[in-house]
Amino acid sequence: MRVLHTSDWHIGRRFKGIDLLEWQRKALEWLIGVIGSERVDVLCVAGDVYDSPRPSTEAVRLFNEIFATLGNMEVNGHPLEIIFTPGNHDSADRLGTGAALMRPNVHMRCDIEAIGGPVIVTVGGEQLAVYALPYLDPDLSRPVLQGMLDGQDGPLCAYDEQERDEEGHVHIARSHEGVMKAAMQCVVNDLAKRRAEDPALAAILMAHAFVSGAQPSDSERNISVGGVDSVPAALFANSGLDYLALGHLHRPQNLTIAQLDCSESVFRESRTPQARYSGSLLAYSFSEARTPPAVGNGKSVVLLDLDAARADETGGNAVRAIRTLDVQSGEPAFVQIDGTLDEVLGSFADEYGEDWVSITIRLSEYPHGLYQRIDAKYAHALEKNPVYTGRAASAARTMADMHAATDEMDVLTGFVRYSLGREARDDERSVLAKAVEAVRSQGTEHAGGTGKTERMRSAGGIAGTQQKEGGER
């Protein structure tokens, strides 16, 4: 049986003001083609379908078009089985609207109460159980999970006496680890019953979470509770699962879950899953840039081949092969550039002028028209970060003393001294003086005054006010 694992589509997302729907459409249309050419039996989408709980009309239209195509696909002589779960960016209620009326091969698993019952897929006489966890917000999911654990008729082996009250009811900690452990207890109990009847049953868990040991990027939303945002990888060891299909982190990556001695594990089952983050379909931050830069930014989906008989033969799990396919989105390469002004406007511009770039410019002072000069060389300079190399040597400098300043020029030249570590040049003082005179003239005209006397009164008033305000501060 072949499974395609993907996540974090974030339909409707923008990057530095750029609408990404064009590239999201290309990626999703490519995905449809891959499902057909690779003869995929099951599609698992592990959360963050949309970028917002209230997606735009254009985002909904794109998803509806892709969703309809996927739902009507037939592969290997049977309808494509499709399983979606909501992530922390999605509205579970909105994503799950109409789930009960969808075709039998389409499964929107958006309810926490359903996590203990898997989607059962049967292909060629083999069965696969897919347990689909929506994003578990610790505050919102704990009461539901508490009721589910209280209603369990199987053992609650994940909890010791210190985690139970006098009546034997378990306490779910207010943390991502706490709610994931409760959800896993429901999954493990159900899987144990099914394996008692069918020992060869393969099982996948879809989860939208930050599991320890994985590498985040700058584009994921912070989900920390009490300063902790992750779930220990060891929680999934010896859980009986074959594969962990993870979403939330945008870097595609393997996650190692060590096989433990049963006595040392939480759930004490025989199988430990292999695990991967599929990563997002597009890059959504410069921290996801590849080295060397590449169109599509190294994004991928996971193809997973399962063989139920293999678990008994190897004593491991039912995963026969895992491989990744690079997403063909056409998203321009993300490039991070760091250099002097000559380098930025010279060799770097020649090489990366058409890419999407984040530029750090090392400067001894601020040159005139810096941003305009960069924009003339780069089609998409999306971040411009000037760094003044002389500033560190004079970190003790302070801004102008408002008590000692006699007029606006004292303040402005003090700012030049603070920012650039030197005195303002004559040409710079001339520009600043003209700006001060222009502001004074506008203030006088607004007040209805005319003539040199009024301007002098205005200048004196401004300086006096500055000194007064400086004293108050």
Side-chain angles (χ1 to χ4, degrees):
M1 193 180 304
R2 178 162 290 175
V3 178
L4 192 151
H5 162 210
T6 178
S7 71
D8 295 275
W9 293 358
H10 288 279
I11 299 175
R13 188 153 185 162
R14 302 179 70 87
F15 180 66
K16 306 296 180 182
I18 298 174
D19 188 342
L20 298 176
L21 278 176
E22 172 188 346
W23 294 278
Q24 289 174 333
R25 173 179 290 280
K26 289 179 181 177
L28 291 168
E29 290 175 346
W30 168 85
L31 181 68
I32 291 170
V34 165
I35 289 170
S37 63
E38 294 288 343
R39 305 183 69 80
V40 172
D41 298 298
V42 186
L43 170 65
C44 294
V45 185
D48 282 352
V49 175
Y50 290 112
D51 190 57
S52 166
R54 294 178 176 83
S56 67
T57 300
E58 293 77 12
V60 173
R61 284 174 179 164
L62 175 56
F63 174 70
N64 187 58
E65 180 182 331
I66 299 299
F67 188 42
T69 301
L70 291 169
N72 288 304
M73 288 187 71
E74 287 202 5
V75 184
N76 298 326
H78 64 83
L80 173 69
E81 294 286 341
I82 305 168
I83 308 167
F84 282 90
T85 58
N88 57 301
H89 281 250
D90 296 308
S91 164
D93 290 335
R94 287 186 174 89
L95 189 64
T97 298
L101 301 176
M102 291 179 184
R103 297 180 58 174
N105 62 308
V106 179
H107 312 274
M108 282 289 189
R109 301 304 292 262
C110 300
D111 296 326
I112 298 174
E113 293 89 343
I115 63 178
V119 174
I120 298 295
V121 179
T122 303
V123 175
E126 290 189 358
Q127 283 196 326
L128 168 66
V130 181
Y131 293 90
L133 272 58
Y135 169 68
L136 299 174
D137 178 277
D139 290 323
L140 298 178
S141 63
R142 270 197 310 160
V144 180
L145 291 166
Q146 188 71 62
M148 294 174 66
L149 288 184
D150 291 343
Q152 286 284 308
D153 57 4
L156 302 179
C157 60
Y159 298 89
D160 56 30
E161 292 183 2
Q162 296 178 343
E163 297 174 285
R164 301 170 186 259
D165 61 22
E166 295 178 354
E167 298 179 356
H169 297 295
V170 302
H171 169 71
I172 301 175
R174 182 182 175 268
S175 65
H176 288 285
E177 179 182 0
V179 294
M180 183 61 75
K181 184 163 78 168
M184 283 294 296
Q185 183 70 81
C186 298
V187 168
V188 170
N189 284 0
D190 181 84
L191 180 56
K193 293 177 183 177
R194 295 178 187 276
R195 285 257 172 82
E197 299 179 1
D198 181 6
L201 179 67
I204 289 176
L205 177 74
M206 299 169 58
H208 196 86
F210 182 4
V211 180
S212 61
Q215 180 66 36
S217 64
D218 293 342
S219 58
E220 297 100 11
R221 183 177 294 170
N222 188 346
I223 59 171
S224 63
V225 174
V228 179
D229 57 3
S230 63
V231 175
L235 181 63
F236 302 98
N238 301 79
S239 59
L241 297 164
D242 294 295
Y243 180 73
L244 195 56
L246 293 168
H248 179 58
L249 299 188
H250 294 174
R251 296 181 191 272
Q253 57 194 295
N254 182 64
L255 180 67
T256 300
I257 300 176
Q259 177 85 24
L260 302 176
D261 184 276
C262 280
S263 62
E264 299 176 352
S265 63
V266 176
F267 295 107
R268 305 180 181 90
E269 297 294 328
S270 59
R271 304 186 196 182
T272 290
Q274 297 188 48
R276 279 196 69 89
Y277 281 95
S278 64
S280 53
L281 278 183
L282 301 184
Y284 297 119
S285 71
F286 280 109
S287 66
E288 299 163 66
R290 294 293 300 272
T291 304
V295 173
N297 298 295
K299 295 303 179 177
S300 61
V301 298
V302 183
L303 280 179
L304 177 72
D305 289 331
L306 297 168
D307 184 352
R310 185 180 182 277
D312 293 332
E313 295 171 0
T314 63
N317 56 46
V319 177
R320 189 175 72 222
I322 295 178
R323 58 192 174 101
T324 60
L325 297 177
D326 290 342
V327 175
Q328 303 300 311
S329 66
E331 182 184 36
F334 284 20
V335 183
Q336 294 176 295
I337 294 172
D338 189 328
T340 65
L341 183 59
D342 288 342
E343 290 172 329
V344 167
L345 298 181
S347 59
F348 289 159
D350 293 339
E351 187 171 0
Y352 305 118
E354 298 303 317
D355 297 320
W356 289 3
V357 296
S358 171
I359 303 175
T360 297
I361 315 102
R362 307 274 169 188
L363 302 164
S364 58
E365 61 181 57
Y366 195 93
H368 179 68
L370 173 64
Y371 286 4
Q372 292 87 339
R373 293 168 70 183
I374 291 174
D375 287 336
K377 290 285 187 176
Y378 294 87
H380 302 283
L382 303 182
E383 289 183 352
K384 307 180 187 78
N385 308 302
V387 175
Y388 301 105
T389 55
R391 180 174 289 178
S394 44
R397 291 195 307 271
T398 59
M399 293 289 285
D401 185 348
M402 299 300 289
H403 292 284
T406 58
D407 60 14
E408 296 91 338
M409 285 298 293
D410 279 351
V411 177
L412 293 174
T413 55
F415 179 75
V416 172
R417 192 180 308 114
Y418 169 78
S419 300
L420 301 180
R422 60 169 176 77
E423 297 297 328
R425 298 192 304 263
D426 290 344
D427 60 331
E428 292 170 338
R429 292 181 65 88
S430 176
V431 171
L432 293 173
K434 290 178 181 178
V436 169
E437 184 63 24
V439 171
R440 287 175 175 174
S441 297
Q442 290 174 0
T444 301
E445 291 171 3
H446 180 72
T450 57
K452 182 176 180 181
T453 301
E454 290 295 334
R455 287 198 296 274
M456 291 176 63
R457 289 175 181 173
S458 176
I462 292 172
T465 301
Q466 286 177 332
Q467 289 179 334
K468 179 180 179 181
E469 289 178 349
E472 290 174 348
R473 285 196 292 268

